[in-house]
């Protein structure tokens, strides 16, 4: 197993931060500590990872991450992946929440930039000109947004959307609602475009149910618009919206999946244990975070573009069309069970 | 309504950060910008809040928050409360996740301290000596841990525990399991103590089901130990454990609340929309975050100790004792409904 900064720290009986300083900014620790830590590093065979050498000597040993909303459970898992990878490099992470405000991101970059070696900018809503300004302040890696001059980690919505729609079509659904998220989100428009493309491929009608705030309450408020459109199946912008939607449908006297099939997006921790367990599209969030950190510690000048697959995970919130959907109660019995 | 930094920024057509700098570190902005922003501040009647004056002139205008685990949904809501209050003071927040490692916190304080005016340390697992060291590096406020020399914001477990146990006793439960969280957590031991005190008061047997990792999987793994103890009701360390427990019981063929009543803790967003909706104890997380920020921007030297009430929220995961609990199937019928 690879020797890490933590191993050196434990052996030396000091903190990881002290080891990090002793090796990268030896002027900050006592000569005695520096000598002892360098000796232990040699004994244990510790070498900074290849990528970590991209971090300039004299740096703070800290990276920044900016997310649009920490309450969206997509981000904590991404942050965990980023954090684990940062730890392997002996680096700390500082996080900031931009509160979904497109003009709130640049001030955060300005605050973080002097204190970090690079920033992972997740699902940025920044304007192109703000992004330009930000990229002049520190090294950036974008998650969920592409840019020709910056390293990016994104995921391929199309693969997951296609598998989800195929699954619904196989269950007899011919009109599929899209319960959308915030207008300003690029992943929202990407998902919407993917859905329309797949709808055309498979000759399925995609029905726009509207844009909703991506939280439980947003999902609850989508139940009535969905019902008015007489839909037997819907894909939601994310799992939280989907869970809210299921709760909202229940409050209106409808059952999922008997009356309406619901598919989420992300595969958050709760998806598998909710009742019914949520069919959803899994996005490799830990891995996205880890690859983002790798891009920030890569040798200076390296610009990488990673694109990860998404995968449909069928569970219990989708079933054969039928049941008591308003427009076709008479067709119910034949297809009650999936 | 109070004039905020944001109002000044909007009027001046600049960012909040620029206004903040112009007013607190005028040497960092152009003379022209400084004059214009100062003029607009006067016109609008902006005054920095009384508390904000506790922040030293020349400071970075940034506070830090350290949490033990961002995946625990207790913290994002607390961070949102802290962030909203920080914004009112024209301050940024930087966050760090200590990954439940008691010896991981001091290095984070060391990293953050030179960059911030103070740190909100949430549910700290630090040793007393580390805490001593940390308090020498920057201003601290503790959430969920008390200390005579530091400002603290905590909540009163006893009020919520007492109401939850009374509710279960009224439903006929006489033995109540405690599905515990991590051993190192102070709120865990506080909750356990409160439960034992209330058990003695109300003459109810409190049965220790064990310590579990505070996530969905931890809850699932608690289902069997709970069952072996032939319990008809349990209180879990937090909502996530409770949701996992319900899922684990379901996998063993038992229903909540018909066979076992389950009470969570925190009232996370999902609690109200899970199926069954989770009876739980509400902890005012937004308010805790906001009060923590207030303590950090209070005039230097002010040490405050705030203690907030917790409140039991009955929902659908608790019901009258009866049903198919193994030890007393013959007693079932009379009390099936709560």
């Amino acid at each position: 197993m690879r020797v890490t900064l933590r191993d050196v720290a434990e052996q030396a009986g000091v903190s990881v931060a002290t080891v990090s300083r002793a090796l990268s900014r030896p002027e900050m620790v006592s000569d005695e500590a520096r000598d002892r830590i360098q000796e232990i590093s040699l004994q244990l065979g510790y070498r900074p990872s290849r990528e970590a050498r991209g971090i300039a000597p004299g740096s703070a040993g800290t990276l920044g991450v900016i997310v649009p909303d920490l309450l969206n459970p997509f981000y904590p898992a991404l942050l965990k992946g980023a954090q684990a990878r940062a730890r392997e490099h002996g680096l700390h992470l500082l996080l900031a929440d931009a509160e979904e405000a497109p003009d709130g991101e640049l001030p955060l970059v300005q605050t973080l930039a002097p204190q970090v070696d690079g920033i992972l900018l997740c699902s940025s809503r920044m304007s192109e000109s703000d992004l330009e300004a930000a990229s002049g302040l520190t090294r950036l890696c974008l998650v969920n947004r592409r840019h020709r001059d910056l390293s990016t980690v994104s995921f391929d919505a199309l693969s997951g959307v296609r598998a989800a729609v195929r699954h619904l079509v196989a269950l007899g659904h011919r009109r599929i609602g899209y319960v959308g998220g915030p207008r300003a989100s690029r992943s929202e428009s990407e998902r919407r475009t993917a859905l329309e493309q797949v709808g055309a491929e498979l000759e399925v009608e995609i029905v726009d149910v509207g844009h909703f705030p991506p939280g439980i309450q947003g999902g609850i408020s989508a139940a009535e618009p969905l019902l008015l459109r007489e839909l037997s199946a819907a894909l939601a912008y994310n799992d939280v919206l989907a869970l809210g939607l299921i709760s909202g449908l229940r409050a209106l006297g409808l059952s999922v999946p008997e009356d309406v099939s619901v598919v989420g997006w992300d595969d958050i921790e709760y998806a598998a244990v909710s009742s019914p367990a949520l069919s959803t599209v899994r996005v490799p969030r830990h891995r996205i975070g880890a690859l983002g950190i790798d891009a920030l510690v890569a040798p200076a000048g390296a610009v990488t573009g990673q694109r990860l697959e998404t995968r449909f995970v069928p569970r219990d919130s989708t079933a054969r069309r039928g049941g008591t959907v308003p427009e076709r109660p008479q067709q119910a019995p034949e297809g009650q069970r999936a």
Side-chain angles (χ1 to χ4, degrees), chain A:
Chain A
M1 230 174 63
R2 191 184 172 75
V3 177
T4 65
L5 273 187
R6 185 166 294 271
D7 300 324
V8 177
E10 277 176 13
Q11 184 73 25
V14 298
S15 71
V16 171
T18 303
V19 175
S20 171
R21 269 197 300 276
L23 298 178
S24 62
R25 309 183 67 182
E27 75 283 3
M28 288 186 68
V29 301
S30 70
D31 292 354
E32 189 195 45
R34 185 200 60 210
D35 290 347
R36 193 157 61 89
I37 288 167
Q38 288 182 346
E39 201 187 319
I40 289 170
S41 305
L42 282 170
Q43 277 169 11
L44 294 180
Y46 172 77
R47 322 174 279 117
S49 65
R50 190 177 56 76
E51 298 84 354
R53 282 181 259 146
I55 297 288
S59 80
T62 304
L63 297 174
V65 185
I66 298 177
V67 300
D69 181 11
L70 272 175
L71 276 189
N72 179 338
F74 184 80
Y75 297 108
L78 185 152
L79 292 170
K80 285 290 175 178
Q83 186 140 312
R85 187 57 59 90
R87 194 179 346 101
E88 287 173 29
H89 293 302
L91 299 166
H92 290 298
L93 282 195
L94 292 181
L95 323 173
D97 175 338
E99 306 186 76
E100 300 275 1
D103 63 350
E105 293 181 32
L106 186 54
L108 288 178
V109 173
Q110 289 164 336
T111 302
L112 275 168
Q115 312 171 5
V116 298
D117 300 295
I119 296 177
L120 190 62
L121 206 50
C122 301
S123 312
S124 175
R125 277 83 157 129
M126 260 193 230
S127 67
E128 285 295 327
S129 63
D130 274 11
L131 190 57
E132 189 86 16
S135 68
L137 297 174
T138 188
R139 189 171 198 178
L140 295 181
C141 173
L142 302 181
V143 166
N144 243 359
R145 174 167 176 178
R146 280 181 287 177
H147 192 281
R148 71 176 188 284
D149 302 328
L150 298 172
S151 286
T152 60
V153 185
S154 56
F155 56 81
D156 168 42
L158 195 60
S159 48
V161 166
R162 186 180 283 125
V165 173
R166 278 207 179 122
H167 167 83
L168 291 172
V169 167
L171 292 171
H173 302 280
R174 285 284 168 273
R175 295 174 67 239
I176 297 174
Y178 179 57
V179 176
R183 246 175 247 280
S185 151
R186 272 151 215 270
S187 56
E188 144 72 26
S189 55
E190 198 176 76
R191 220 157 295 166
R192 196 175 278 271
T193 307
L195 198 50
E196 274 156 17
Q197 179 180 332
V198 170
E201 275 172 31
L202 303 179
E203 300 184 351
V204 172
E205 186 188 350
I206 304 299
V207 180
D208 183 9
V209 183
H211 291 277
F212 299 88
I216 292 283
Q217 286 305 323
I220 292 175
S221 68
E224 211 165 284
L226 187 104
L227 212 61
L228 287 174
R229 287 166 181 80
E230 303 190 334
L231 293 161
S232 65
L235 198 136
Y237 168 70
N238 69 14
D239 286 345
V240 184
L241 260 180
L243 294 173
L245 174 63
I246 291 173
S247 169
L249 288 168
R250 197 181 291 137
L252 295 173
L254 292 179
S255 293
V256 174
E258 293 78 4
D259 301 318
V260 184
S261 287
V262 173
V263 176
W265 188 278
D266 286 343
D267 198 19
I268 62 172
E269 209 186 8
Y270 303 94
V273 299
S274 66
S275 175
L278 189 65
S279 299
T280 186
V281 175
R282 181 176 298 162
V283 179
R285 295 170 290 151
H286 273 82
R287 196 162 147 68
I288 290 172
L291 290 174
I293 297 301
D294 284 346
L296 286 175
V297 300
V303 172
T304 56
Q306 308 250 13
R307 195 158 174 82
L308 306 181
E309 290 289 295
T310 53
R311 192 161 72 77
F312 176 63
V313 183
R315 294 202 184 97
D316 307 331
S317 64
T318 43
R320 188 158 289 283
R321 193 185 95 181
T324 60
V325 220
E327 80 270 41
R328 50 180 83 80
Q330 70 283 12
Q331 298 180 9
E334 97 275 14
Q336 201 79 273
R337 290 275 162 264

